[in-house]
């Protein structure tokens, strides 16, 4: 391969990672705030990798460093609107393509993203001056892509590819101004909705405005002697800040649970009251009246049988001229207003059903019970409309109606139909944003006193006490807020340095409707195996969009819900897991073969992947090996905020792997034994580089996979000497073995792994890779195998514990001293730490002397390493740090003699040393 690209030889991983992670904190104008889409790639890494894949490898070290500095600058958020930086990047790309095409009139390089999703990657391709095509199978994603890649470029006042639109009548000669009209008609929708809805939200006479209402779901106590209504609340806090504590105080009068507001600014909080302890935990509910506990099965059954209710428990307000929120209990006026809204809903629902030809409240079914991420079906919610209370339904169908009316008004005023359709799309996104904050699955966040949205994560779990937004509050989650977020993105896109329009297509990546050898590059971020149930989650928005703008996009809304038959995710098959895995692997293989087909000879693919399990990686590797594409490089880019990463719940990746491949000829058969030697050499260099870049933990192993694919992927097939083809599973185990060996050597500063048992190696690697997280059994088994440990022989005998399909590695704080047996390094360390915690220092020194570990440097090195890889708030780390602070005292105490003192015999001179140590 002659014309290597920069991304194939070097990349400023650290600088781009910092910008990508930083970007997660940038909200105003970022396309992620236009409409929810899951697992969107950062603009920073998209812009940087797109550019680095389309310019040549530097001729020397000086040019390389210069290019890396420029890429670091290009990746900054501020550079997205910096004309000089963007112009230089475009010129670099065009100059290179003029050279390789031998012509001064070379057209723009043509690129494709066949899994375009939220639009980050194709937007940055468009910004770099490329002829950009974006495709997605999901209709919601296609609409987002149109709003990001087509409409701002066509109708933005500054960059409009068409400067003016001319229509008959009133609109003749009027300028396009997308931002102006989104704001104008969004305000019109607001005022029209207010006229109809404001009466259902009682006003305060003192000028306070409702932010919204806190509700608790309820069940009847099943104790025949009680029968009280149980408000299901996970906790009773209203505000829980450092300088402000306010709570609902439940008290029983007869057989009724009533509330008072207590805390700062209200009546004193009772001394024996703990607001963090609610009436429900998990799905177990306890009656505050009689104390009876209802198990999960009973609670869910009551919900499914329609025997659950709800109760308004608090109203949250603010004053435009004063700071902070205030709280009050609901009044009869509040309850009456809700009842009036409920009655009006039925009237309006019937009226709109006749007009629209569809129930205005989404009556499409929720996914089947057991669908990844969905739990609400266990509680009797079977339709999408069941996620909203009656007043929320009324508000949403009213806003939907007003947006539809706005379109008719625009046409009456002479607006061009396609332009009005574009404005409508953004207003429909405003309704989607409102819907995201207007379900019975939102929460009042007491630490910040604001409402959280429904999709705080890629799932829809049950919420017991929820928050109902007042849609005219001028606070988080209302219509004004939704419109502002949408408008800011439109403004950013209109101001972007883009002088062409993206081409958005609805279709499947497994059957691309493009000719052979058509694209210079493919940049894409495919689904990650079973990570996100895209189609099922996006149905939430699809059902509302269908009611608002479905008539304007009949080709996108032809199905009752989003299409799923060709969706490339492992969970889509209603078969066993192996069948789902095969479906994903075959689909991914077909998609990559299609990418190979439409790429020009020598064309480049940059593919992003971030699945945390080797099972997910196996399917990708096998698909990539079979596609005909030749992997040439890979780079781990840190794309997540540190605050997102979980600790105990599961092991989360911070990095995504950007894999580079080319459409070039493969070599013939590769022999496994020879490739192992080549892989060891290649991997050692790559691991050194990753180590210097600060990549660690689970990301380190996942990053190494890319380098292994580079070695394997250049052969047509790889065979062992028995003629068996080597596939992704054997490759991954080989990589894990090599990475584990490397990590042990690096983590422990020198090659002392010979002194460690497989158990000790496993413990150190686990803490370094997963911290204190629980991990799926198969992942844990593979890590154990890499250090020569038989996991099934060890679990539930010591610090390795199996919990259902997960493996946990216990720290000393999770174990009982009397139950720790054996003299392996980790067991002795745990016992020593528990002795230290209990201030039993005599016993601790005796243990270390008797086992011999107290005199070995490796013992303290292992303790130090474990401390360094654990987070600051870890209990185990605090124990280790305290213990290590006294290591010299321990060694001196051990060095004084044979410790007969610990058998009850006093020894002259030695007791003084021991006592000095014990006293600290």
């Amino acid at each position: 391969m002659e014309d290597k690209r920069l991304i194939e030889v070097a990349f400023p991983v650290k600088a781009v990672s910092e910008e990508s992670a930083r970007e997660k904190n940038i909200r105003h104008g970022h396309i992620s705030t236009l409409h929810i889409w899951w697992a969107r790639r950062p603009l920073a890494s998209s812009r940087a990798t797109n550019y680095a894949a389309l310019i040549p490898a530097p001729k020397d070290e000086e040019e390389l460093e210069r290019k890396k500095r420029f890429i670091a600058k290009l990746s900054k958020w501020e550079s997205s609107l910096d004309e000089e930086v963007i112009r230089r990047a475009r010129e670099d790309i065009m100059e290179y393509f003029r050279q390789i095409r031998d012509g001064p009139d070379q057209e723009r390089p043509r690129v494709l993203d066949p899994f375009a999703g939220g639009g980050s990657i194709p937007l940055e391709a468009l910004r770099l001056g490329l002829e950009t095509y974006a495709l997605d199978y999901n209709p919601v994603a296609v609409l987002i892509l149109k709003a990001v890649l087509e409409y701002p470029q066509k109708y933005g006042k500054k960059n409009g590819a068409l400067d003016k639109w001319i229509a008959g009548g009133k609109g003749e000669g009027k300028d396009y101004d997308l931002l102006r009209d989104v704001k104008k008609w969004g305000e019109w929708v607001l005022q029209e909705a207010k006229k109809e809805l404001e009466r259902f939200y009682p006003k305060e006479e003192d000028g306070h405005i409702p932010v919204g209402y806190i509700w608790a779901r309820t069940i009847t106590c099943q104790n025949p002697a009680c029968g009280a209504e149980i408000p299901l609340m996970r906790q009773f806090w209203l505000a829980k800040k450092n300088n402000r504590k306010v709570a609902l105080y439940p008290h029983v009068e007869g057989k009724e649970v009533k509330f008072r507001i207590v805390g700062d600014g209200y009546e004193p909080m009772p001394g024996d009251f703990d607001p963090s302890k609610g009436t429900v935990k998990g799905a177990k509910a306890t009656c505050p009246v009689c104390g009876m506990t209802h198990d999960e099965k009973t609670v869910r059954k009551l919900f499914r049988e329609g025997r659950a209710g709800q109760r308004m428990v608090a109203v949250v307000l603010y004053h435009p001229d004063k700071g902070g929120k205030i709280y009050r209990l609901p009044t009869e006026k509040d309850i009456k207003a809700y009842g009036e809204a409920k009655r009006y809903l039925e009237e309006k629902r019937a009226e709109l059903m006749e007009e629209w030809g569809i129930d205005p409240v989404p009556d499409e079914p929720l996914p089947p019970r057991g669908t990844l991420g969905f739990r609400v079906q266990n509680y009797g919610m079977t339709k999408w409309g069941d996620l909203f209370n009656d007043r929320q339904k009324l508000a949403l169908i009213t806003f939907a109606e007003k947006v539809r009316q706005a379109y008719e008004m625009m046409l009456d005023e002479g607006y061009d139909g396609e332009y009005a359709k574009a404005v409508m799309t953004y207003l429909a996104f405003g309704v989607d944003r409102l819907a995201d904050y207007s379900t019975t699955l939102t929460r009042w966040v007491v630490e910040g006193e604001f409402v959280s949205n429904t999709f705080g994560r890629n799932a829809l779990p049950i919420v017991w006490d929820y928050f109902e937004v007042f849609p005219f509050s001028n606070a988080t989650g209302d219509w004004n807020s939704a419109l502002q977020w949408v408008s800011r993105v439109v403004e950013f896109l209109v101001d972007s340095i883009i002088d062409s329009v993206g081409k958005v297509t609805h279709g499947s990546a497994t059957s691309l409707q493009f000719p052979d050898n058509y694209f210079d590059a493919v940049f894409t971020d495919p689904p990650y195996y079973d990570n996100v149930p895209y189609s099922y989650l996006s149905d939430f928005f699809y059902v509302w969009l269908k009611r608002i703008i479905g008539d304007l996009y009949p080709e996108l809304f032809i199905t009752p819900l989003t299409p799923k038959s060709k969706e490339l995710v492992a969970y889509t098959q209603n078969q066993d897991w192996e069948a789902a895995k095969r479906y994903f692997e075959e689909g991914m293989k077909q998609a990559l073969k299609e990418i190979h087909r439409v790429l020009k000879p020598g064309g480049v693919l940059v593919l992003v992947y971030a699945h945390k399990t080797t099972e997910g990686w196996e399917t990708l590797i096998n698909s990539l090996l079979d596609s005909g594409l030749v992997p040439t490089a890979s780079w781990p880019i840190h794309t997540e905020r540190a605050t997102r990463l979980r600790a105990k719940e599961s092991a989360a990746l911070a990095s995504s792997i950007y894999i580079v491949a080319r459409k070039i000829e493969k070599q013939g058969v590769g022999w496994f034994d020879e490739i192992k030697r080549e892989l060891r050499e290649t991997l050692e260099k790559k691991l050194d580089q990753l180590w210097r870049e600060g990549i660690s933990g689970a990301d380190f192993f996942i990053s190494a996979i890319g380098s292994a694919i580079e070695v394997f992927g250049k052969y047509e097939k790889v065979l062992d000497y028995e003629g068996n083809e080597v596939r992704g599973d054997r490759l991954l185990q080989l990589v894990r073995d090599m990475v584990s060996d490397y990590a042990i050597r690096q983590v422990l500063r020198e090659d002392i792994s010979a002194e460690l048992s497989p158990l000790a190696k496993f413990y150190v690697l686990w803490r370094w890779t997963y911290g204190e997280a629980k991990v799926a059994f198969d992942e844990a088994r593979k890590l154990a195998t890499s250090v020569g440990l038989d996991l099934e022989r060890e679990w539930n005998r010591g610090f390795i514990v199996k919990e259902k399909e997960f493996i946990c590695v216990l720290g000393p704080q999770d174990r009982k001293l009397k139950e720790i047996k054996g003299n392996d390094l980790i067991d002795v360390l745990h016992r020593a730490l528990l002795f230290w915690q209990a201030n039993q220092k005599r016993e601790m020194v005796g243990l270390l002397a008797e086992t011999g570990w107290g005199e070995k440097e490796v013992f303290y090195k292992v303790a130090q390493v474990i401390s360094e890889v654990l987070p600051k708030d870890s209990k185990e780390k605090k124990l280790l740090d305290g213990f290590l602070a006294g290591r010299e005292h321990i060694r001196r105490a051990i060095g004084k003699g044979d410790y007969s003192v610990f058998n009850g015999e006093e020894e002259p001179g030695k007791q003084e040393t021991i006592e000095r140590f014990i006293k600290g």
Side-chain angles (χ1 to χ4, degrees):
M1 186 174 60
E2 297 175 2
D3 66 322
K4 272 187 175 285
R5 308 288 169 86
L6 186 144
I7 200 169
E8 292 176 301
V9 297
F11 192 78
V13 170
K14 190 172 183 181
V16 175
S17 292
E18 287 172 358
E19 287 303 318
S20 298
R22 169 183 167 239
E23 187 183 308
K24 296 282 182 169
N25 296 313
I26 294 170
R27 312 302 294 158
H28 291 183
H30 197 285
I31 62 169
S32 64
T33 62
L34 175 65
H35 193 286
I36 283 180
W37 193 255
W38 299 270
R40 228 188 215 106
R41 290 305 93 203
L43 298 176
S45 58
S46 301
R47 186 158 62 248
T49 53
N50 289 2
Y51 170 76
L54 295 174
I55 62 170
K59 300 179 184 68
D60 52 45
E61 195 65 30
E62 183 182 342
E63 185 186 354
L64 174 61
E65 290 307 312
R66 193 165 63 248
K67 286 294 185 188
K68 285 170 72 174
R69 286 194 298 272
F70 177 70
I71 291 173
K73 184 176 183 180
L74 180 67
S75 69
K76 291 181 179 297
W77 168 257
E78 297 76 14
S79 294
S80 58
L81 299 179
D82 187 323
E83 292 194 32
E84 177 56 32
V85 173
I86 298 300
R87 182 191 59 77
R88 180 181 159 190
R90 289 178 174 185
E91 287 179 357
D92 287 348
I93 293 169
M94 288 306 299
E95 181 183 353
Y96 174 58
F97 273 81
R98 277 193 294 269
Q99 291 172 3
I100 63 175
R101 298 286 170 77
D102 297 323
D105 300 323
Q106 162 61 29
E107 298 175 358
R108 302 167 186 248
R110 189 181 291 134
V111 301
L112 167 70
D113 183 351
F115 297 101
S120 298
I121 294 173
L123 174 63
E124 293 308 329
L126 208 57
R127 196 189 304 283
L128 292 173
L130 311 175
E131 184 182 330
T132 303
Y133 294 73
L135 177 141
D136 205 279
Y137 180 62
N138 190 296
V140 178
V142 172
L143 276 178
I144 296 171
L145 292 168
K146 285 181 173 291
V148 170
L149 305 175
E150 286 187 3
Y151 298 147
Q153 293 74 36
K154 267 180 152 178
Y155 303 121
K157 189 174 182 180
K158 178 178 178 182
N159 294 322
L162 308 170
D163 293 328
K164 293 179 182 292
W165 59 274
I166 298 175
K170 301 174 186 176
E172 187 169 349
K174 189 182 289 186
D175 287 342
Y176 282 119
D177 193 336
L178 190 61
L179 178 61
R180 177 199 64 201
D181 284 325
V182 168
K183 287 181 175 180
K184 171 186 170 180
W185 290 101
E187 178 63 24
W188 184 88
V189 167
L190 172 67
Q191 296 307 324
E192 292 300 307
K194 252 186 181 182
K195 291 175 190 175
E196 194 166 336
L197 293 174
E198 223 172 6
R199 62 191 168 110
F200 301 115
Y201 303 88
K203 291 183 177 179
E204 305 291 312
E205 294 180 3
D206 62 358
H208 276 85
I209 298 170
V211 176
Y213 310 85
I214 298 175
W215 292 79
R217 301 184 197 274
T218 61
I219 58 171
T220 301
C221 179
Q222 298 302 289
N223 179 353
C226 180
E229 180 190 69
I230 306 172
L232 301 175
M233 300 189 71
R234 69 194 191 284
Q235 48 90 49
F236 294 106
W237 286 111
L238 295 171
K240 190 183 179 185
K241 296 179 173 177
N242 291 336
N243 61 349
R244 189 164 190 246
K245 303 282 194 300
V246 183
L248 276 173
Y249 176 62
H251 57 98
V252 176
E253 292 186 13
K255 289 190 177 181
E256 187 178 355
V257 180
K258 294 192 173 183
F259 292 102
R260 299 201 302 270
I261 297 178
V262 299
D264 298 324
Y266 302 87
E267 64 177 278
M269 196 173 294
D272 60 348
F273 173 47
D274 181 358
S276 63
K277 294 180 179 176
T279 59
V280 62
K281 187 174 183 180
K284 290 181 182 177
T286 302
C287 178
V289 177
C290 70
M292 177 177 171
T293 297
H294 302 66
D295 62 21
E296 296 99 326
K297 189 176 178 181
T298 301
V299 171
R300 288 171 183 148
K301 184 181 178 186
L302 290 170
F303 272 85
R304 286 198 298 273
E305 292 176 352
R307 293 196 284 155
Q310 62 175 5
R311 172 180 170 185
M312 192 186 299
V313 294
V315 182
V316 185
L317 308 114
Y318 80 100
H319 197 287
D321 302 323
K322 301 174 185 177
K325 309 284 194 307
I326 66 167
Y327 302 88
R328 66 168 173 79
L329 298 177
T331 62
E332 283 298 320
K333 191 176 179 182
D334 295 310
I335 306 301
K336 183 181 177 184
Y338 183 84
E340 289 172 354
K342 184 174 182 178
R343 284 189 291 276
Y344 184 61
L345 168 66
E346 295 312 309
E347 178 186 325
K348 189 171 187 70
R349 189 171 182 174
E351 174 191 319
L352 291 180
M353 190 180 297
E354 186 174 343
E355 182 183 334
W356 296 358
I358 186 175
D359 190 339
V361 175
D363 58 352
E364 293 87 346
L366 281 162
R369 284 174 67 182
T371 300
L372 179 68
F374 285 79
R375 299 291 179 269
V376 294
Q377 298 92 325
N378 292 329
Y379 300 90
M381 299 183 193
T382 59
K383 299 177 181 178
W384 284 104
D386 295 341
L387 304 184
F388 310 89
N389 76 21
D390 289 315
R391 190 160 54 184
Q392 289 171 331
K393 292 174 187 174
L394 175 61
L396 289 169
I397 66 173
T398 302
F399 274 97
E401 176 195 33
K402 302 312 175 190
V403 172
R404 287 172 62 114
Q405 290 173 354
Y407 178 69
E408 298 301 327
M409 292 279 291
M410 281 186 262
L411 295 184
D412 289 345
E413 290 187 14
Y415 280 72
D416 172 75
E418 282 301 303
Y419 178 61
K421 177 178 169 180
V423 175
M424 272 282 284
T425 302
Y426 294 105
L427 296 182
F429 284 1
V431 178
D432 269 2
R433 282 196 66 98
L434 184 64
D436 185 29
Y437 283 91
S438 299
T439 72
T440 61
L441 303 178
T442 61
R443 297 179 187 272
W444 181 244
V445 181
V446 298
E447 294 81 6
E449 293 185 276
F450 61 85
V451 60
S452 69
N453 63 324
T454 302
F455 288 99
R457 58 193 180 98
N458 305 334
L460 286 178
I462 189 70
V463 172
W464 302 110
D465 47 293
Y466 69 88
F467 190 82
E468 180 196 1
V469 164
F470 173 43
F472 313 114
S473 66
N474 282 319
T476 301
D478 82 331
W479 174 258
N480 260 326
S481 171
L483 190 63
Q484 283 173 16
W485 284 111
V486 170
S487 299
R488 284 171 182 149
V489 179
V490 173
E491 183 176 16
F492 169 75
L493 292 169
V494 164
D495 288 344
S496 289
I497 302 97
I498 295 172
D499 58 5
S500 62
V501 178
K503 299 169 179 65
V504 177
T505 307
H506 181 217
S508 170
T510 59
S511 53
L512 298 174
Q513 301 302 305
F514 301 105
D516 296 355
N517 307 319
Y518 192 65
F519 292 101
D520 295 284
V522 173
F523 304 134
T524 196
D525 174 32
Y528 304 154
Y529 197 46
D530 63 340
N531 254 19
V532 180
Y534 295 96
S535 61
Y536 291 116
L537 292 173
S538 62
D539 281 340
F540 175 93
F541 300 109
Y542 182 87
V543 295
W544 287 110
L545 292 169
K546 180 168 65 172
R547 283 157 174 78
I548 304 167
I549 53 176
D551 293 346
L552 303 183
Y553 296 95
E555 72 285 2
L556 294 181
F557 293 94
I558 197 168
T559 52
L561 293 164
T562 58
K564 297 173 177 66
S565 63
K566 294 182 181 178
E567 188 184 20
L568 201 48
V569 229
Y571 65 81
T572 53
Q573 301 304 288
N574 297 318
Q575 304 169 38
D576 59 67
W577 187 241
E578 285 304 311
K581 180 180 174 181
R582 284 194 302 274
Y583 169 82
F584 178 79
E585 187 168 330
E586 287 302 314
M588 184 60 74
K589 184 191 302 181
Q590 181 59 31
L592 289 168
K593 282 184 174 180
E594 279 289 271
I595 288 171
H596 180 275
R597 179 183 66 79
V598 301
L599 269 175
K600 294 177 180 177
V604 64
L605 163 69
V606 178
L607 181 146
V608 191
Y609 207 69
H611 202 274
K612 66 188 179 186
T613 71
T614 48
E615 192 171 41
W617 275 98
E618 279 175 26
T619 59
L620 177 72
I621 291 168
N622 289 337
S623 301
L624 194 55
L625 294 177
D626 293 340
S627 69
L629 294 159
V630 178
T632 57
S634 65
W635 303 101
I637 299 179
H638 197 101
T639 56
E640 303 299 336
R641 290 186 301 245
T643 52
R644 174 196 166 274
L645 303 182
R646 301 167 291 253
K648 290 282 187 186
E649 290 82 7
S650 63
L653 292 174
S655 295
S656 300
I657 310 304
Y658 286 66
I659 299 170
V660 185
R662 298 288 287 275
K663 183 176 178 176
I664 54 178
E665 290 297 317
K666 289 198 173 204
Q667 299 178 26
V669 172
W671 297 100
F672 192 42
D673 281 8
E674 295 169 12
I675 287 172
K676 278 196 284 190
R677 289 193 290 274
E678 182 184 356
L679 181 59
R680 191 172 294 279
E681 292 172 11
T682 303
L683 209 52
E684 194 78 15
K685 291 175 186 174
K686 188 60 176 259
L687 295 177
D688 282 340
Q689 188 176 4
L690 293 172
W691 193 269
R692 288 193 300 271
E693 290 279 0
I695 306 297
S696 62
D699 292 309
F700 192 74
F701 168 68
I702 295 300
S703 302
I705 292 173
S707 299
I709 301 173
E710 291 170 40
V711 174
F712 254 62
K714 62 189 177 185
Y715 299 99
E716 288 288 350
K717 61 174 61 177
V718 176
L719 303 176
D720 60 24
Y721 285 146
E722 294 176 358
N724 302 309
E725 186 174 359
V726 178
R727 302 290 286 167
D729 54 349
R730 285 179 71 183
L731 171 62
L732 284 170
Q733 191 56 53
L734 178 61
V735 172
R736 191 180 284 281
D737 292 347
M738 291 180 179
V739 172
S740 297
D741 179 61
Y742 181 93
I744 284 287
R745 285 186 278 121
Q746 291 291 337
V747 168
L748 295 175
R749 313 291 194 275
E750 59 185 82
D751 190 6
I752 54 172
S753 59
E755 297 183 56
L756 300 182
S757 67
L759 262 177
K761 288 180 184 178
F762 176 78
Y763 191 91
V764 172
L765 270 183
W766 184 283
R767 289 289 183 247
W768 183 73
T769 306
Y770 301 123
E772 296 170 313
K774 63 182 180 183
V775 173
F777 167 73
D778 195 49
E779 288 303 299
R781 180 185 60 77
K782 287 165 183 170
L783 183 68
T785 302
S786 71
V787 294
L789 186 73
D790 184 342
L791 193 64
E792 294 185 36
R793 288 185 59 186
E794 298 295 340
W795 75 48
N796 298 336
R797 293 178 57 188
F799 58 76
I800 301 171
V801 175
K802 186 172 186 291
E803 295 179 359
K804 296 182 179 177
E805 71 271 31
F806 295 100
I807 293 291
C808 301
V809 169
L810 305 179
Q813 72 279 3
D814 305 313
R815 307 177 73 185
K816 293 180 181 178
L817 187 59
K818 62 183 179 182
E819 294 175 0
I820 303 176
K821 309 296 181 186
N823 288 332
D824 191 81
L825 186 153
I826 299 300
D827 285 328
V828 172
L829 177 60
H830 281 185
R831 288 167 67 195
L833 292 173
L834 290 174
F835 278 135
W836 180 87
Q837 183 182 36
N839 205 30
Q840 295 177 275
K841 295 178 181 176
R842 185 192 303 274
E843 289 83 349
M844 179 185 71
V845 175
L847 167 71
L848 295 177
E850 290 165 12
T851 59
W853 284 114
E855 298 175 83
K856 294 182 179 179
E857 180 64 21
V858 66
F859 182 79
Y860 301 99
K861 276 195 171 186
V862 168
Q864 184 67 47
V865 164
I866 295 169
S867 167
E868 288 174 5
V869 300
L870 287 170
K872 289 181 181 178
D873 58 353
S874 162
K875 290 181 181 178
E876 181 174 358
K877 177 179 174 61
K878 290 172 182 175
L879 287 174
L880 285 161
D881 290 348
F883 168 76
L884 287 166
R887 77 180 84 179
E888 294 308 317
H889 293 294
I890 297 170
R891 283 171 168 160
R892 282 201 297 271
I894 293 172
K896 280 288 182 178
D898 64 0
Y899 283 84
S900 55
V901 63
F902 292 104
N903 295 321
E905 299 174 21
E906 298 298 331
E907 182 180 320
K910 179 161 176 204
Q911 183 62 31
E912 184 183 347
T913 303
I914 298 298
E915 293 298 339
R916 269 205 313 272
F917 171 72
I918 291 172
K919 291 174 183 175

